[in-house]
Amino acid sequence: MVLDAVVAFFILGIVCHLSGAKLGFPDGLYKSLSMFLMIAIGLKGGIALQQHVDSSLVFMSFAVVLFGLALPLLAYPLLRFFGGFNRVNSGAIAAHYGSVSVATYAVAVSLLDAQSIEYEAYFPLFVVLLEMPAILVGLVLAKGNLSVINFEFVKKELVANQSILLMLGSLLIGFYGGESVGKLNPFFIELFSGVLALFLLKMGLTAGEQLSSLKKNSLFLVCFAVLMPLLGGSLGIGLGLILGFSAGGVALMAVLGASASYIAVPAAMKQSLPEANAGLSITASLGITFPFNVVVAVPFFIALSQYAVT
Amino acid sequence: MQSKTWIFSIVTSAILLAFYFLAESIGVEAPGFVAMAVVIVGASCYQHFVSHRNFTANVMQGDN
């Protein structure tokens, strides 16, 4: 088994934290790197989308949104019945696992590019589409009624959502920018892997901190955080095959199903569900699921997709 | 330790091993699945042992 160089930086981050090395990683740099990745993914998708637009994209988008609605409904009963969490915490954690992680997606794209595996150009659009449905379902499950979904909520979480705006905006710029987008390539496309490595180094440091905070409910949380990516990823492979994607596309669909959000959803939950224990969700999604996905699940889903499609 | 957590951890370990064998059958090395299964089984056994020891200690204290 050969470890990808980009992924190795994530492990280096965890090792740095565990060894007590003080890496002064500025918060501003972390936010800048995360913005860079979102813009790069959007631009790359927009440029590729110029050649691949067709009407079936509407049907596929609808199926992807349904997928995003289904994932938290799968997670919620596990959290309630086996984990013994209350309604609020179950809804909040389920929302994290229904939404997506842009960093996990970026790792998958980097691995596919490294292995020269083709994938559909419109996947950044699916990443954007999958951000929101799980937050809505998670909130409804946590509150037990539909009243949480109102105009103010949609305005705040959908229209003013940084991830959605940056990725969708970059996708449109890449799509409509024509040849002028080419001058952005040296920065946003060619530096992608290097920036991702730096971002993963920081993520490794953060994941190391989260791993240290595993105490109460740790065994169930570890099991859940490992099981959900396998269930979500398997469903993603099924959906990818039904929609007729290429091997790379099926792998990306699996990765979107397997990943758990730790940027957009925590921010939304903090606003809309302040009574939920944010530590539980972050520990599970960032401390366990993200490392598990990056090191184990993503390479496996790429191999399985190639086997399933060919 | 709650019996539901125990069952959940056993089921999770079994699924991890199933994924390991699936990976093996398609020619992919995925030792991470086995490693996670071992960690989960080990943690389950440790928690079971600790809760059993605490229960025994409480009973002994009650006898005295």
Side-chain angles (χ1 to χ4, degrees), chain A:
Chain A
M1 195 175 96
V2 182
L3 191 64
D4 188 84
V6 175
V7 177
F9 274 90
F10 176 73
I11 295 170
L12 177 63
I14 295 180
V15 171
C16 283
H17 174 79
L18 295 179
S19 66
K22 300 246 183 286
L23 283 189
F25 210 102
D27 271 353
L29 178 60
Y30 167 69
K31 282 178 189 160
S32 306
L33 293 177
S34 123
M35 281 167 66
F36 175 96
L37 291 176
M38 284 186 255
I39 292 172
I41 289 170
L43 268 182
K44 206 173 169 183
I47 294 166
L49 204 57
Q50 288 173 348
Q51 288 109 39
H52 297 92
V53 177
D54 64 76
S55 55
S56 63
L57 196 56
V58 178
F59 167 72
M60 286 180 193
S61 301
F62 183 67
V64 166
V65 170
L66 286 182
F67 182 52
L69 292 170
L71 284 174
L73 294 174
L74 177 70
Y76 184 79
L78 295 177
L79 291 156
R80 284 284 277 166
F81 181 72
F82 288 105
F85 291 114
N86 61 24
R87 182 191 280 261
V88 170
N89 283 325
S90 301
I93 301 173
H96 285 72
Y97 279 82
S99 191
V100 290
S101 147
V102 176
T104 314
Y105 174 80
V107 170
V109 165
S110 170
L111 291 178
L112 289 173
D113 287 343
Q115 296 174 48
S116 305
I117 300 171
E118 297 279 321
Y119 52 89
E120 282 70 14
Y122 35 77
F123 262 87
L125 179 67
F126 294 164
V127 177
V128 171
L129 288 175
L130 278 172
E131 284 266 10
M132 277 307 288
I135 298 178
L136 297 176
V137 175
L139 280 177
V140 170
L141 289 171
K143 299 273 187 187
N145 61 56
L146 291 166
S147 63
V148 284
I149 304 167
N150 50 35
F151 176 73
E152 195 57 34
F153 173 81
V154 172
K155 189 179 139 195
K156 198 163 56 184
E157 301 300 339
L158 194 64
V159 182
N161 182 308
Q162 183 197 316
S163 321
I164 292 178
L165 269 180
L166 277 179
M167 285 186 65
L168 200 58
S170 311
L171 189 95
L172 292 174
I173 291 169
F175 183 69
Y176 288 110
E179 289 180 5
S180 67
V181 183
K183 61 189 174 194
L184 299 175
N185 281 0
F187 185 67
F188 281 109
I189 309 298
E190 285 167 29
L191 292 181
F192 184 79
S193 293
V195 172
L196 180 60
L198 205 53
F199 181 77
L200 287 178
L201 179 69
K202 168 63 180 168
M203 295 304 296
L205 290 167
T206 315
E209 285 168 24
Q210 294 300 327
L211 278 176
S212 314
S213 68
L214 271 176
K215 283 175 193 153
K216 206 181 167 196
N217 286 322
S218 58
L219 181 59
F220 171 78
L221 217 52
V222 170
C223 294
F224 175 80
V226 166
L227 187 63
M228 264 314 284
L230 297 179
L231 297 179
S234 302
L235 289 175
I237 286 204
L239 179 63
L241 290 172
I242 290 169
L243 294 177
F245 291 149
S246 63
V250 173
L252 287 180
M253 203 67 240
V255 169
L256 292 182
S259 69
S261 173
Y262 47 82
I263 298 173
V265 179
M269 289 296 137
K270 200 173 174 183
Q271 292 282 332
S272 311
L273 212 58
E275 64 271 36
N277 183 346
L280 290 173
S281 317
I282 290 288
T283 302
S285 63
L286 187 54
I288 305 162
T289 301
F290 184 71
F292 177 72
N293 274 338
V294 168
V295 179
V296 182
V298 172
F300 167 73
F301 282 130
I302 290 175
L304 184 62
S305 307
Q306 283 181 287
Y307 182 81
V309 169
T310 51

